[in-house]
Amino acid sequence: MSFLDLMSKFVDKKTACSIFGHKIVTVRNVTNHFKEYKCTVCQVELTNDLQDKKTFLTPRLKEINETLLNHYTRKHLSSM
C-alpha cells in the first residue's frame, strides 16, 4: 500500500494533493506544444497555457483544445 493510499483513508483526496502535490499524468497530446493532464489522486484536469504553465481545464479551454486538435490533424493530413 502506497503512502498516498494510506493518507487517502484519513484525509480527503483534495487535501492530500494540496499537502503533497498532485500526481499528474498526460491524458492527451493536443499538439506538440499543448497537452491535457489529469491528477490520478483527485481527478483534477489541467492543460497548458501560452506561457507553458499548467492551468485548470475549463469547458472553454476544452473546446479550444478540441478546435486546435481538429485544425492540427487537418493540416497534417493535407500535407501528406
Side-chain angles (χ1 to χ4, degrees):
M1 181 177 273
S2 73
F3 181 71
L4 285 176
D5 292 334
L6 186 62
M7 280 299 294
S8 67
K9 292 186 180 204
F10 300 108
V11 181
D12 183 20
K13 290 183 179 184
K14 290 187 179 188
T15 306
C17 282
S18 67
I19 295 171
F20 301 109
H22 293 285
K23 187 171 183 180
I24 297 175
V25 294
T26 303
V27 176
R28 181 169 83 160
N29 292 331
V30 179
T31 66
N32 292 337
H33 302 287
F34 290 99
K35 296 175 176 40
E36 289 182 1
Y37 307 96
K38 191 172 194 176
C39 177
T40 59
V41 178
C42 67
Q43 306 302 316
V44 69
E45 295 179 328
L46 305 162
T47 189
N48 301 49
D49 62 4
L50 294 175
Q51 288 80 28
D52 201 31
K53 296 180 182 175
K54 291 179 179 61
T55 60
F56 291 106
L57 186 62
T58 62
R60 183 168 187 256
L61 287 175
K62 196 168 219 169
E63 184 179 325
I64 290 171
N65 282 352
E66 273 303 317
T67 306
L68 187 60
L69 178 65
N70 290 338
H71 177 72
Y72 186 73
T73 54
R74 276 189 280 133
K75 182 179 177 185
H76 280 287
L77 287 176
S78 67
S79 67
M80 291 181 156

